């Protein structure tokens, strides 16, 4: 969740650290800090405080080597004392992850006379390093890591070793980067784009040393590990919009993202996984949050057309339910960042059970692509706003394309919707016509204490995603339900003015959807209808109606969600909040 950065730059690293921390801020913005080590004076200067990265800006700190951190709190409330870097003796440390045995380690350190200065789990790491240090910087870090249980990506400075950063990685992402004038370590590949020309990701149990103007990967004994650096594209870098929020900008990028993702899919050789797709008798899909809604849409498409069962699991529960995964099964893992901790653990379990894993992600050199047997890398581009928008639309496109490939290898022909996948970018652009009505609807609903999003069949997935967006950034209780479930408890909460939003894109079920609207309207609800069917809209009892652009019904979830994404964004703004930085959330969920 947290963002960590390390930098060695001969002409000074301070400005670079701040720039990269600003790019990492979507990983957490509870507090921020930097530590800079000057080789000339061997001074370690630390600046940290509660709040965003802008709070630590100030007079430039001299020094060639530095580390930085932007925090999403796990242990200890957001505060100056809990902010990273944590310092003990000659050492400063930043950490992303969770140390599960920190309480026992903390008790041991306190018994030994340590005066713990924060409420975090991270502080125990730097205190362990200081405790075992006898002059060998790397050996002290490696020895401390042997005591840790949980997940971590750490970057450490030592006053005795100017120009050196020692890093370690276990179940939290860590990447090294290099350019002509600087060396980096970072928890996030997109943050390095535009700074580093070459990158290389660390595997679990590996260490990274920046020393003598070089980057070296090594094992816990210090033995060098041969690694290959790859050139990274600067296009992954996101520029701050001239006006408005990142979320608004990213919604407007959906047509471009879909078009580029479609081109990428057309160039992908699915024959590599043809045998697995042809022979499989069932599939699993694992994901979290928004990506889980995309996985459910994939389930709908595969079961409808290929008649193969797809067992969808939230990744956070998958490995604890002892799933019946075995040799011959295909597991589809969906993660925007490719670093979602729960999804990665689900993938590891699936592979241990002999399953074939297909990853759908937005980051090519991510942890999940390193684990998967086959990867579908969408081209949504960088997504900075914490709430996913364009990445969800691209996930749907990738998953529908995968479902079509599965159908082809089973039936020697493509499903009917395949020919219309190319029409999605233009339909998405047409959906922008709904934005003015969405502004009006957001203004009408901004004082609501709660709302329902309803749908039937594939529209249930869109309803769930629309509700999630409102919860995430507007802080209004919202739930997505199957419309037929209203009478089984849900309708009890309907009262005068309660917004009920119906997504009805399945022509065979529009009558059923209209019945549900009639039922809640009779009880005082403020009813809203989204449909591409002009006839159904003209006959509807809904108080507010929105006409959607039309593509074939199987693909409507890619398009029908766009006005809901924008509605949530406008609700957030109407209520006075920042859509890019919702409270308590972070973009890349790298801890359980």
């Amino acid at each position: 969740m947290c963002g960590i950065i390390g930098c060695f730059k001969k002409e000074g690293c301070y400005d670079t650290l701040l720039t990269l921390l600003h790019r990492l801020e979507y990983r957490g913005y509870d507090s921020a800090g930097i530590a800079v080590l000057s080789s000339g004076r061997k001074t370690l200067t630390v600046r940290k405080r509660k709040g965003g990265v802008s709070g630590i800006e100030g007079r430039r700190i001299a020094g060639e080597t530095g580390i930085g951190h932007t925090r999403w709190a796990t242990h200890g409330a957001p505060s100056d004392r809990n902010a990273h870097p944590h310092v003990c003796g000659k050492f400063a440390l930043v950490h992303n992850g969770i140390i599960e045995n920190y309480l026992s380690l903390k008790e041991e350190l306190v018994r030994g006379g340590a005066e713990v200065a924060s409420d975090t789990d991270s502080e125990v790491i730097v205190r362990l390093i200081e405790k075992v240090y006898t002059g060998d910087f790397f050996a002290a870090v490696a020895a401390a890591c042997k005591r840790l249980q949980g997940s971590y990506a750490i970057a450490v400075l030592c006053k005795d070793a100017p120009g050196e950063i020692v890093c370690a990685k276990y179940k939290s992402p860590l990447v090294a980067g290099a350019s002509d004038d600087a060396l980096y370590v970072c928890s996030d590949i997109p943050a390095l784009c535009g700074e580093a020309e070459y990158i290389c990701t660390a595997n679990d149990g590996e260490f990274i040393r920046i020393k003598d103007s070089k980057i070296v990967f090594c094992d816990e004994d210090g033995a060098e590990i041969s690694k290959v650096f790859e050139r990274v594209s600067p296009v992954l870098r996101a520029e701050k919009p001239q006006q408005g929020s990142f979320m608004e900008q990213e919604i407007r990028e959906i047509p471009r993202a879909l078009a580029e993702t479609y081109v990428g899919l057309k160039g992908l050789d699915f024959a590599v996984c043809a045998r697995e797709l042809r022979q499989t008798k069932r599939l699993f899909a694992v994901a979290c949050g928004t990506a889980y809604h995309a996985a459910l849409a994939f389930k709908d498409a595969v079961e409808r057309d290929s008649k193969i069962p797809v067992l969808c699991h939230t990744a956070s529960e998958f490995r604890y339910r002892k799933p019946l995964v075995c040799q011959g099964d295909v597991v589809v893992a969906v993660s925007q960042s490719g670093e979602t901790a729960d999804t990665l653990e689900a993938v590891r379990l699936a592979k241990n059970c002999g399953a074939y894993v297909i990853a759908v992600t937005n980051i090519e050199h991510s942890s999940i692509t390193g684990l998967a047997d086959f990867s579908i890398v969408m081209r949504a581009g960088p997504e900075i706003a914490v709430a996913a928008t364009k990445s969800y639309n691209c996930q749907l496109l990738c998953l529908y394309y995968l479902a079509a490939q599965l159908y082809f290898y089973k039936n020697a022909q493509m499903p009917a919707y395949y020919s219309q996948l190319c029409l999605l970018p233009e339909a998405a652009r047409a959906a922008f016509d709904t934005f003015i009505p969405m502004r009006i609807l957001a203004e009408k609903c901004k004082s609501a204490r709660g709302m329902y999003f309803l749908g039937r069949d594939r529209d249930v997935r869109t309803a769930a995603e629309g509700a999630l967006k409102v919860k995430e950034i507007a802080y209004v209780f919202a739930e997505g339900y199957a419309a037929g479930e209203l009478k089984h408890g849900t309708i009890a909460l309907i009262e005068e003015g309660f917004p009920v939003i119906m997504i009805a894109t399945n022509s065979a079920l529009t009558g059923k959807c209209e019945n549900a609207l009639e039922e809640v309207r009779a009880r005082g609800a403020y009813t809203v209808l989204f449909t591409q069917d002009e006839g159904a809209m003209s006959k509807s009892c809904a108080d507010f109606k929105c006409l959607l652009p039309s593509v074939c019904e199987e693909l409507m979830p890619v398009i029908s969600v766009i006005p809901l994404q924008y509605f949530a964004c406008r609700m957030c703004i109407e209520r006075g909040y920042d859509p890019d930085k919702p409270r308590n959330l972070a973009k890349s969920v790298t801890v359980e």
Side-chain angles (χ1 to χ4, degrees), residues 240-290:
K240 187 170 179 60
Q242 293 183 347
Q243 60 180 4
S245 63
F246 273 112
M247 185 173 182
E248 290 169 287
Q249 174 175 281
E250 288 156 8
I251 291 171
R252 293 189 181 278
E253 289 174 351
I254 291 172
R256 188 272 313 157
L258 288 171
E260 293 188 9
T261 295
Y262 181 73
V263 170
L265 289 167
K266 293 291 286 185
L268 194 58
D269 184 10
F270 281 86
V272 174
C273 57
R275 184 175 65 86
E276 285 74 17
L277 293 177
R278 186 178 294 114
Q279 294 180 357
T280 189
K281 297 292 191 295
R282 64 177 181 177
L283 292 91
F284 289 79
V286 292
C288 300
T290 285

Side-chain angles (χ1 to χ4, degrees), residues 514 517-518 527 529 535-545:
E514 185 63 23
L517 285 180
E518 291 277 12
T527 53
L529 175 67
M537 193 168 79
S538 64
K539 297 174 185 176
S540 177
C541 69
D543 300 298
F544 190 100
K545 305 172 188 178

Side-chain angles (χ1 to χ4, degrees), residues 216-346:
V216 176
F217 285 75
C218 52
D219 62 19
E220 62 182 12
D221 297 319
E224 187 171 342
I225 299 171
S226 178
K227 303 283 280 192
V228 177
F229 279 72
E230 298 183 52
R231 185 180 289 274
V232 63
S233 171
V235 300
L236 288 175
R237 176 176 171 179
E239 299 295 340
K240 187 170 179 60
Q242 293 183 347
Q243 60 180 4
S245 63
F246 273 112
M247 185 173 182
E248 290 169 287
Q249 174 175 281
E250 288 156 8
I251 291 171
R252 293 189 181 278
E253 289 174 351
I254 291 172
R256 188 272 313 157
L258 288 171
E260 293 188 9
T261 295
Y262 181 73
V263 170
L265 289 167
K266 293 291 286 185
L268 194 58
D269 184 10
F270 281 86
V272 174
C273 57
R275 184 175 65 86
E276 285 74 17
L277 293 177
R278 186 178 294 114
Q279 294 180 357
T280 189
K281 297 292 191 295
R282 64 177 181 177
L283 292 91
F284 289 79
V286 292
C288 300
T290 285
Y292 179 67
H293 298 152
L296 289 169
F298 173 69
K299 170 186 172 74
D300 295 337
V302 171
E303 292 184 346
R304 179 189 64 240
D305 296 328
S306 296
K307 311 299 188 237
I308 298 172
V310 180
L311 306 175
C312 276
H313 292 264
T314 53
S316 59
E317 290 295 316
F318 181 72
R319 60 187 170 129
Y320 299 115
R321 298 186 62 184
K322 297 182 180 178
L324 303 176
V325 183
C326 59
Q327 190 84 28
D329 290 335
V330 172
V331 175
V332 179
V334 190
S335 167
Q336 185 279 139
S337 67
E339 303 293 350
T340 309
D342 289 316
T343 307
L344 285 169
E345 290 303 316

Side-chain angles (χ1 to χ4, degrees), residues 438-473:
M438 289 306 95
R439 284 175 175 259
I440 296 169
L441 183 61
E443 202 281 329
K444 286 180 179 291
C445 296
K446 66 181 180 182
S447 299
R449 294 185 298 170
M451 60 181 62
Y452 287 151
F453 289 74
L454 303 178
R456 281 181 174 268
D457 191 39
R458 65 185 71 91
D459 292 329
V460 178
R461 317 314 183 191
T462 305
E465 178 59 17
L468 178 61
K469 286 291 155 286
V470 168
K471 283 184 284 194
E472 283 179 319
I473 62 173

Side-chain angles (χ1 to χ4, degrees), residues 531-582:
T531 183
Q532 82 282 25
D533 186 335
E534 293 188 52
M537 193 168 79
S538 64
K539 297 174 185 176
S540 177
C541 69
D543 300 298
F544 190 100
K545 305 172 188 178
C546 183
L547 184 65
L548 299 168
S550 182
V551 293
C552 69
E553 290 185 359
E554 292 87 346
L555 301 179
M556 277 302 296
V558 181
I559 305 304
S560 59
V561 75
I562 295 173
L564 302 185
Q565 293 168 333
Y566 191 75
F567 167 69
C569 185
R570 293 309 308 178
M571 274 278 288
C572 171
I573 293 168
E574 288 284 347
R575 290 167 60 82
Y577 303 116
D578 182 351
D580 293 339
K581 298 178 181 179

Side-chain angles (χ1 to χ4, degrees), residues 1 27 96-98 100 150-152 169-173 204 286-288 314-320 333-349 367-368 371 587-592:
M1 307 281 274
R27 295 181 71 103
N96 173 37
I98 288 181
E100 295 175 354
S151 62
Y152 54 84
K169 186 256 193 220
Y170 184 71
K171 293 188 177 179
S172 282
D204 284 349
V286 292
C288 300
T314 53
S316 59
E317 290 295 316
F318 181 72
R319 60 187 170 129
Y320 299 115
V334 190
S335 167
Q336 185 279 139
S337 67
E339 303 293 350
T340 309
D342 289 316
T343 307
L344 285 169
E345 290 303 316
V347 168
R348 291 186 179 102
L349 173 59
S367 297
I368 203 167
L371 289 172
K587 183 69 174 177
S588 184
V589 184
T590 57
V591 298
E592 280 196 76

Side-chain angles (χ1 to χ4, degrees), residues 372-388:
D373 298 292
F374 183 78
S375 295
I376 302 172
V377 180
M378 54 191 175
R379 299 183 182 182
E383 191 173 66
I384 303 303
V386 170

